PDB file of all heavy atoms in Angstrom:
ATOM      1  N   GLY A   1    -172.062 142.969 -61.758  1.00 95.00           N
ATOM      2  CA  GLY A   1    -171.013 142.078 -61.967  1.00 95.00           C
ATOM      3  C   GLY A   1    -171.128 140.737 -61.295  1.00 95.00           C
ATOM      4  O   GLY A   1    -170.672 139.726 -61.729  1.00 95.00           O
ATOM      5  N   PHE A   2    -171.693 140.773 -60.164  1.00 96.00           N
ATOM      6  CA  PHE A   2    -171.982 139.531 -59.366  1.00 96.00           C
ATOM      7  C   PHE A   2    -172.796 138.543 -60.211  1.00 96.00           C
ATOM      8  O   PHE A   2    -172.561 137.381 -60.289  1.00 96.00           O
ATOM      9  CB  PHE A   2    -172.702 139.834 -58.083  1.00 96.00           C
ATOM     10  CG  PHE A   2    -171.819 140.431 -57.032  1.00 96.00           C
ATOM     11  CD1 PHE A   2    -171.765 141.896 -56.933  1.00 96.00           C
ATOM     12  CD2 PHE A   2    -171.139 139.747 -56.139  1.00 96.00           C
ATOM     13  CE1 PHE A   2    -171.033 142.523 -55.937  1.00 96.00           C
ATOM     14  CE2 PHE A   2    -170.351 140.316 -55.113  1.00 96.00           C
ATOM     15  CZ  PHE A   2    -170.267 141.712 -55.134  1.00 96.00           C
ATOM     16  N   VAL A   3    -173.821 139.209 -60.891  1.00 95.00           N
ATOM     17  CA  VAL A   3    -174.678 138.272 -61.769  1.00 95.00           C
ATOM     18  C   VAL A   3    -173.856 137.809 -62.964  1.00 95.00           C
ATOM     19  O   VAL A   3    -174.015 136.615 -63.404  1.00 95.00           O
ATOM     20  CB  VAL A   3    -175.920 139.139 -62.237  1.00 95.00           C
ATOM     21  CG1 VAL A   3    -176.879 138.223 -63.038  1.00 95.00           C
ATOM     22  CG2 VAL A   3    -176.597 139.772 -61.055  1.00 95.00           C
ATOM     23  N   ALA A   4    -173.024 138.685 -63.549  1.00 95.00           N
ATOM     24  CA  ALA A   4    -172.212 138.330 -64.702  1.00 95.00           C
ATOM     25  C   ALA A   4    -171.258 137.136 -64.450  1.00 95.00           C
ATOM     26  O   ALA A   4    -171.232 136.237 -65.176  1.00 95.00           O
ATOM     27  CB  ALA A   4    -171.506 139.553 -65.213  1.00 95.00           C
ATOM     28  N   ILE A   5    -170.544 137.143 -63.273  1.00 95.00           N
ATOM     29  CA  ILE A   5    -169.638 136.200 -62.967  1.00 95.00           C
ATOM     30  C   ILE A   5    -170.377 134.855 -62.670  1.00 95.00           C
ATOM     31  O   ILE A   5    -169.866 133.695 -62.900  1.00 95.00           O
ATOM     32  CB  ILE A   5    -168.605 136.512 -61.848  1.00 95.00           C
ATOM     33  CG1 ILE A   5    -169.390 136.807 -60.585  1.00 95.00           C
ATOM     34  CG2 ILE A   5    -167.809 137.662 -62.341  1.00 95.00           C
ATOM     35  CD1 ILE A   5    -168.487 137.042 -59.423  1.00 95.00           C
ATOM     36  N   GLY A   6    -171.590 135.020 -62.105  1.00 94.00           N
ATOM     37  CA  GLY A   6    -172.401 133.724 -61.852  1.00 94.00           C
ATOM     38  C   GLY A   6    -172.824 133.071 -63.216  1.00 94.00           C
ATOM     39  O   GLY A   6    -172.823 131.877 -63.323  1.00 94.00           O
ATOM     40  N   LEU A   7    -173.137 133.982 -64.223  1.00 94.00           N
ATOM     41  CA  LEU A   7    -173.493 133.426 -65.511  1.00 94.00           C
ATOM     42  C   LEU A   7    -172.269 132.797 -66.183  1.00 94.00           C
ATOM     43  O   LEU A   7    -172.387 131.852 -66.975  1.00 94.00           O
ATOM     44  CB  LEU A   7    -174.023 134.583 -66.303  1.00 94.00           C
ATOM     45  CG  LEU A   7    -175.478 134.984 -66.059  1.00 94.00           C
ATOM     46  CD1 LEU A   7    -175.897 136.306 -66.700  1.00 94.00           C
ATOM     47  CD2 LEU A   7    -176.392 133.853 -66.587  1.00 94.00           C
ATOM     48  N   VAL A   8    -171.080 133.361 -65.902  1.00 94.00           N
ATOM     49  CA  VAL A   8    -169.923 132.704 -66.490  1.00 94.00           C
ATOM     50  C   VAL A   8    -169.786 131.240 -65.915  1.00 94.00           C
ATOM     51  O   VAL A   8    -169.489 130.314 -66.734  1.00 94.00           O
ATOM     52  CB  VAL A   8    -168.615 133.473 -66.120  1.00 94.00           C
ATOM     53  CG1 VAL A   8    -167.376 132.666 -66.521  1.00 94.00           C
ATOM     54  CG2 VAL A   8    -168.625 134.762 -66.853  1.00 94.00           C
ATOM     55  N   MET A   9    -169.988 131.042 -64.657  1.00 94.00           N
ATOM     56  CA  MET A   9    -169.986 129.763 -64.169  1.00 94.00           C
ATOM     57  C   MET A   9    -171.175 128.800 -64.673  1.00 94.00           C
ATOM     58  O   MET A   9    -170.900 127.672 -64.955  1.00 94.00           O
ATOM     59  CB  MET A   9    -170.084 129.785 -62.569  1.00 94.00           C
ATOM     60  CG  MET A   9    -168.894 130.429 -61.966  1.00 94.00           C
ATOM     61  SD  MET A   9    -167.319 129.648 -62.272  1.00 94.00           S
ATOM     62  CE  MET A   9    -167.558 128.076 -61.571  1.00 94.00           C
ATOM     63  N   LEU A  10    -172.326 129.404 -64.659  1.00 94.00           N
ATOM     64  CA  LEU A  10    -173.503 128.657 -65.096  1.00 94.00           C
ATOM     65  C   LEU A  10    -173.544 128.434 -66.617  1.00 94.00           C
ATOM     66  O   LEU A  10    -173.830 127.258 -67.051  1.00 94.00           O
ATOM     67  CB  LEU A  10    -174.764 129.428 -64.665  1.00 94.00           C
ATOM     68  CG  LEU A  10    -176.087 128.752 -64.947  1.00 94.00           C
ATOM     69  CD1 LEU A  10    -176.249 127.459 -64.213  1.00 94.00           C
ATOM     70  CD2 LEU A  10    -177.199 129.689 -64.566  1.00 94.00           C
ATOM     71  N   TRP A  11    -173.314 129.407 -67.366  1.00 92.00           N
ATOM     72  CA  TRP A  11    -173.472 129.363 -68.862  1.00 92.00           C
ATOM     73  C   TRP A  11    -172.136 128.992 -69.564  1.00 92.00           C
ATOM     74  O   TRP A  11    -172.081 128.072 -70.396  1.00 92.00           O
ATOM     75  CB  TRP A  11    -173.950 130.750 -69.294  1.00 92.00           C
ATOM     76  CG  TRP A  11    -174.142 130.835 -70.892  1.00 92.00           C
ATOM     77  CD1 TRP A  11    -174.518 129.830 -71.649  1.00 92.00           C
ATOM     78  CD2 TRP A  11    -174.082 132.030 -71.596  1.00 92.00           C
ATOM     79  NE1 TRP A  11    -174.655 130.294 -72.916  1.00 92.00           N
ATOM     80  CE2 TRP A  11    -174.426 131.675 -72.885  1.00 92.00           C
ATOM     81  CE3 TRP A  11    -173.823 133.346 -71.358  1.00 92.00           C
ATOM     82  CZ2 TRP A  11    -174.417 132.629 -73.964  1.00 92.00           C
ATOM     83  CZ3 TRP A  11    -173.838 134.250 -72.357  1.00 92.00           C
ATOM     84  CH2 TRP A  11    -174.067 133.869 -73.611  1.00 92.00           C
ATOM     85  N   GLY A  12    -171.040 129.698 -69.190  1.00 89.00           N
ATOM     86  CA  GLY A  12    -169.824 129.447 -69.823  1.00 89.00           C
ATOM     87  C   GLY A  12    -169.159 128.097 -69.516  1.00 89.00           C
ATOM     88  O   GLY A  12    -168.703 127.377 -70.373  1.00 89.00           O
ATOM     89  N   TRP A  13    -169.232 127.727 -68.206  1.00 91.00           N
ATOM     90  CA  TRP A  13    -168.581 126.549 -67.787  1.00 91.00           C
ATOM     91  C   TRP A  13    -169.603 125.412 -67.586  1.00 91.00           C
ATOM     92  O   TRP A  13    -169.142 124.309 -67.879  1.00 91.00           O
ATOM     93  CB  TRP A  13    -167.872 126.831 -66.479  1.00 91.00           C
ATOM     94  CG  TRP A  13    -166.599 127.485 -66.594  1.00 91.00           C
ATOM     95  CD1 TRP A  13    -166.360 128.773 -66.898  1.00 91.00           C
ATOM     96  CD2 TRP A  13    -165.258 126.921 -66.534  1.00 91.00           C
ATOM     97  NE1 TRP A  13    -165.027 129.125 -67.032  1.00 91.00           N
ATOM     98  CE2 TRP A  13    -164.275 128.001 -66.761  1.00 91.00           C
ATOM     99  CE3 TRP A  13    -164.761 125.646 -66.146  1.00 91.00           C
ATOM    100  CZ2 TRP A  13    -162.923 127.800 -66.758  1.00 91.00           C
ATOM    101  CZ3 TRP A  13    -163.364 125.479 -66.151  1.00 91.00           C
ATOM    102  CH2 TRP A  13    -162.492 126.533 -66.415  1.00 91.00           C
ATOM    103  N   GLY A  14    -170.747 125.676 -67.202  1.00 90.00           N
ATOM    104  CA  GLY A  14    -171.750 124.657 -67.073  1.00 90.00           C
ATOM    105  C   GLY A  14    -172.596 124.363 -68.321  1.00 90.00           C
ATOM    106  O   GLY A  14    -173.208 123.285 -68.347  1.00 90.00           O
ATOM    107  N   GLY A  15    -172.586 125.198 -69.267  1.00 88.00           N
ATOM    108  CA  GLY A  15    -173.392 125.061 -70.481  1.00 88.00           C
ATOM    109  C   GLY A  15    -174.856 125.261 -70.323  1.00 88.00           C
ATOM    110  O   GLY A  15    -175.529 124.803 -71.204  1.00 88.00           O
ATOM    111  N   THR A  16    -175.343 125.867 -69.221  1.00 90.00           N
ATOM    112  CA  THR A  16    -176.711 126.080 -68.968  1.00 90.00           C
ATOM    113  C   THR A  16    -177.011 127.592 -68.972  1.00 90.00           C
ATOM    114  O   THR A  16    -176.537 128.308 -68.183  1.00 90.00           O
ATOM    115  CB  THR A  16    -177.135 125.414 -67.633  1.00 90.00           C
ATOM    116  OG1 THR A  16    -176.849 124.106 -67.707  1.00 90.00           O
ATOM    117  CG2 THR A  16    -178.671 125.603 -67.434  1.00 90.00           C
ATOM    118  N   LEU A  17    -177.838 128.013 -69.971  1.00 90.00           N
ATOM    119  CA  LEU A  17    -178.174 129.412 -70.051  1.00 90.00           C
ATOM    120  C   LEU A  17    -179.441 129.685 -69.271  1.00 90.00           C
ATOM    121  O   LEU A  17    -180.404 129.049 -69.364  1.00 90.00           O
ATOM    122  CB  LEU A  17    -178.353 129.858 -71.463  1.00 90.00           C
ATOM    123  CG  LEU A  17    -178.849 131.273 -71.683  1.00 90.00           C
ATOM    124  CD1 LEU A  17    -177.858 132.281 -71.139  1.00 90.00           C
ATOM    125  CD2 LEU A  17    -179.151 131.534 -73.168  1.00 90.00           C
ATOM    126  N   SER A  18    -179.347 130.707 -68.304  1.00 90.00           N
ATOM    127  CA  SER A  18    -180.570 131.142 -67.532  1.00 90.00           C
ATOM    128  C   SER A  18    -180.824 132.524 -68.004  1.00 90.00           C
ATOM    129  O   SER A  18    -180.030 133.431 -68.019  1.00 90.00           O
ATOM    130  CB  SER A  18    -180.115 131.121 -66.050  1.00 90.00           C
ATOM    131  OG  SER A  18    -181.206 131.770 -65.296  1.00 90.00           O
ATOM    132  N   LEU A  19    -182.180 132.774 -68.246  1.00 90.00           N
ATOM    133  CA  LEU A  19    -182.722 134.144 -68.610  1.00 90.00           C
ATOM    134  C   LEU A  19    -183.492 134.648 -67.504  1.00 90.00           C
ATOM    135  O   LEU A  19    -184.390 135.528 -67.711  1.00 90.00           O
ATOM    136  CB  LEU A  19    -183.464 134.038 -69.895  1.00 90.00           C
ATOM    137  CG  LEU A  19    -182.739 133.532 -71.124  1.00 90.00           C
ATOM    138  CD1 LEU A  19    -183.666 133.548 -72.291  1.00 90.00           C
ATOM    139  CD2 LEU A  19    -181.548 134.473 -71.474  1.00 90.00           C
ATOM    140  N   GLY A  20    -183.264 134.260 -66.280  1.00 91.00           N
ATOM    141  CA  GLY A  20    -183.987 134.709 -65.152  1.00 91.00           C
ATOM    142  C   GLY A  20    -183.198 135.101 -63.904  1.00 91.00           C
ATOM    143  O   GLY A  20    -183.702 135.059 -62.815  1.00 91.00           O
ATOM    144  N   GLN A  21    -181.959 135.515 -64.122  1.00 93.00           N
ATOM    145  CA  GLN A  21    -181.058 135.799 -63.047  1.00 93.00           C
ATOM    146  C   GLN A  21    -181.440 137.032 -62.257  1.00 93.00           C
ATOM    147  O   GLN A  21    -181.103 137.252 -61.166  1.00 93.00           O
ATOM    148  CB  GLN A  21    -179.641 135.835 -63.462  1.00 93.00           C
ATOM    149  CG  GLN A  21    -178.965 134.569 -63.955  1.00 93.00           C
ATOM    150  CD  GLN A  21    -179.025 133.530 -62.948  1.00 93.00           C
ATOM    151  OE1 GLN A  21    -179.860 132.657 -62.935  1.00 93.00           O
ATOM    152  NE2 GLN A  21    -178.178 133.616 -61.953  1.00 93.00           N
ATOM    153  N   GLY A  22    -182.243 137.844 -62.905  1.00 93.00           N
ATOM    154  CA  GLY A  22    -182.774 139.081 -62.283  1.00 93.00           C
ATOM    155  C   GLY A  22    -183.618 138.695 -60.972  1.00 93.00           C
ATOM    156  O   GLY A  22    -183.794 139.449 -60.097  1.00 93.00           O
ATOM    157  N   VAL A  23    -184.233 137.517 -60.991  1.00 95.00           N
ATOM    158  CA  VAL A  23    -185.034 137.048 -59.951  1.00 95.00           C
ATOM    159  C   VAL A  23    -184.203 137.004 -58.679  1.00 95.00           C
ATOM    160  O   VAL A  23    -184.593 137.540 -57.627  1.00 95.00           O
ATOM    161  CB  VAL A  23    -185.639 135.705 -60.187  1.00 95.00           C
ATOM    162  CG1 VAL A  23    -186.332 135.055 -58.953  1.00 95.00           C
ATOM    163  CG2 VAL A  23    -186.712 135.836 -61.336  1.00 95.00           C
ATOM    164  N   PHE A  24    -183.045 136.426 -58.762  1.00 96.00           N
ATOM    165  CA  PHE A  24    -182.170 136.170 -57.594  1.00 96.00           C
ATOM    166  C   PHE A  24    -181.573 137.554 -57.164  1.00 96.00           C
ATOM    167  O   PHE A  24    -181.352 137.820 -56.007  1.00 96.00           O
ATOM    168  CB  PHE A  24    -181.167 135.133 -57.862  1.00 96.00           C
ATOM    169  CG  PHE A  24    -181.723 133.938 -58.443  1.00 96.00           C
ATOM    170  CD1 PHE A  24    -181.439 133.533 -59.728  1.00 96.00           C
ATOM    171  CD2 PHE A  24    -182.734 133.122 -57.702  1.00 96.00           C
ATOM    172  CE1 PHE A  24    -182.050 132.392 -60.334  1.00 96.00           C
ATOM    173  CE2 PHE A  24    -183.262 132.011 -58.244  1.00 96.00           C
ATOM    174  CZ  PHE A  24    -182.899 131.617 -59.500  1.00 96.00           C
ATOM    175  N   PHE A  25    -181.194 138.299 -58.158  1.00 96.00           N
ATOM    176  CA  PHE A  25    -180.692 139.722 -57.913  1.00 96.00           C
ATOM    177  C   PHE A  25    -181.748 140.487 -57.113  1.00 96.00           C
ATOM    178  O   PHE A  25    -181.461 141.151 -56.097  1.00 96.00           O
ATOM    179  CB  PHE A  25    -180.327 140.347 -59.171  1.00 96.00           C
ATOM    180  CG  PHE A  25    -179.716 141.795 -59.007  1.00 96.00           C
ATOM    181  CD1 PHE A  25    -178.428 142.022 -58.793  1.00 96.00           C
ATOM    182  CD2 PHE A  25    -180.648 142.878 -59.173  1.00 96.00           C
ATOM    183  CE1 PHE A  25    -177.913 143.204 -58.764  1.00 96.00           C
ATOM    184  CE2 PHE A  25    -180.037 144.144 -58.991  1.00 96.00           C
ATOM    185  CZ  PHE A  25    -178.724 144.307 -58.803  1.00 96.00           C
TER     186      PHE A  25
END
């Protein structure tokens, strides 16, 4: 869920999709 809420900020609000968040996890 930590990754998912990060993607909400990055993708949903910032408009930037990242397909590599597993790296930081």
Side-chain angles (χ1 to χ4, degrees):
F2 289 90
V3 187
I5 62 176
L7 281 167
V8 169
M9 296 300 298
L10 180 64
W11 181 29
W13 283 71
T16 303
L17 175 61
S18 169
L19 298 179
Q21 293 303 101
V23 170
F24 311 114
F25 181 86

